[in-house]
Amino acid sequence: MKKSESILDTARTLDAMDPDLVIVRHAVAGVPKRIADVLDAPVVNAGDGAHEHPTQALLDMLTVRQVKERLEGLTVTIVGDILHSRVARSNIHGFLKMGAEVRIAAPPPMIPVGVESLGVKVFTSVRDALSGADVVMALRIQHERLTGSYVPSIREYSTTFGINRAKLHYAKDDVIVMHPGPVNRGVELSHELTDDRPSVILDQVRNGVAIRMAVLYLFSGRKSQSGRGEAA
Ligand code: ASP
């Protein structure tokens, strides 16, 4: 694609190799679906732009279930750049489907217009968003957003939206802290929370291996059954 081949020609080239499974990560939203429409093999979306990252949501839900033994009825608060986050979007769909309450908290320019229609509760106050939360998920802030027009400064962002032990007091006593990585230490998460419990960041990473093995296992072999690829 870097040599300016079209998405469809790339898809046809991949198809000619008769793969059992194709894993696509792309900077543009919707590319895995476009490729899945043409391929016989199942296509796994490994992150498309700011749209979705399904296996990240699966590994996040597995991590929460291991600690809390359920997902239904939990309150999950996602804090940070929701607008540009494929991780947030997939987790919103996943946790809501599993019966959790999902709250989002961010500076107003980082909240997608109309996001309430997905079923989430929207907050601009971290204190309110964390009140009674079982899970806090901090999202990575990209540096170009911090120096652009989304937030006035890094310091302002980390003071208001950065998660630290003091802010965790608003949440439940047994709250867990998550982050999809890589972390900007001291910006969206304090140093201590990046390293220590109740952070479960390395459990998320470890569970990524199991989830992706499961996805590979479940989808390889699907080609002959369905005859057409499908986006997973
Ligand atoms: N760090 C995660 C990953 O590499 C999240 C992301 O890319 O959006 O999959």
Side-chain angles (χ1 to χ4, degrees), residues 25 46-47 49 52-53 55-56 59 85-87 140 180-182 212:
R25 171 171 281 214
E52 289 243 26
H53 195 349
T55 59
Q56 176 77 42
L59 71 90
S85 176
R86 54 190 177 201
V87 173
R140 190 168 74 90
R212 279 141 191 163

Side-chain angles (χ1 to χ4, degrees), residues 77-88:
T77 301
I78 307 176
V79 183
D81 188 1
I82 313 289
L83 183 66
H84 301 99
S85 176
R86 54 190 177 201
V87 173

Side-chain angles (χ1 to χ4, degrees), residues 210-221:
I211 284 293
R212 279 141 191 163
M213 285 171 74
V215 168
L216 291 178
Y217 175 77
L218 290 170
F219 281 91
S220 50

Side-chain angles (χ1 to χ4, degrees), residues 98-178:
M98 299 309 290
E101 174 181 311
V102 180
R103 301 175 182 173
I104 58 172
M110 291 178 166
I111 298 176
V113 174
V115 71
E116 304 82 358
S117 65
L118 296 179
V120 295
K121 296 190 178 158
V122 181
F123 296 80
T124 46
S125 149
V126 170
R127 182 187 181 137
D128 294 345
L130 289 185
S131 165
D134 299 281
V135 177
V136 183
M137 188 182 295
L139 299 175
R140 190 168 74 90
I141 293 287
Q142 289 173 16
H143 258 263
E144 59 271 27
R145 318 252 189 252
L146 285 169
T147 47
S149 53
Y150 289 91
V151 285
S153 68
I154 298 183
R155 194 161 155 203
E156 165 115 10
Y157 182 85
S158 61
T159 309
T160 319
F161 289 95
I163 305 298
N164 54 25
R165 283 205 194 274
K167 290 204 185 87
L168 281 191
H169 285 128
Y170 303 128
K172 288 212 178 114
D173 289 345
D174 60 352
V175 66
I176 57 169
V177 176
M178 308 179 78

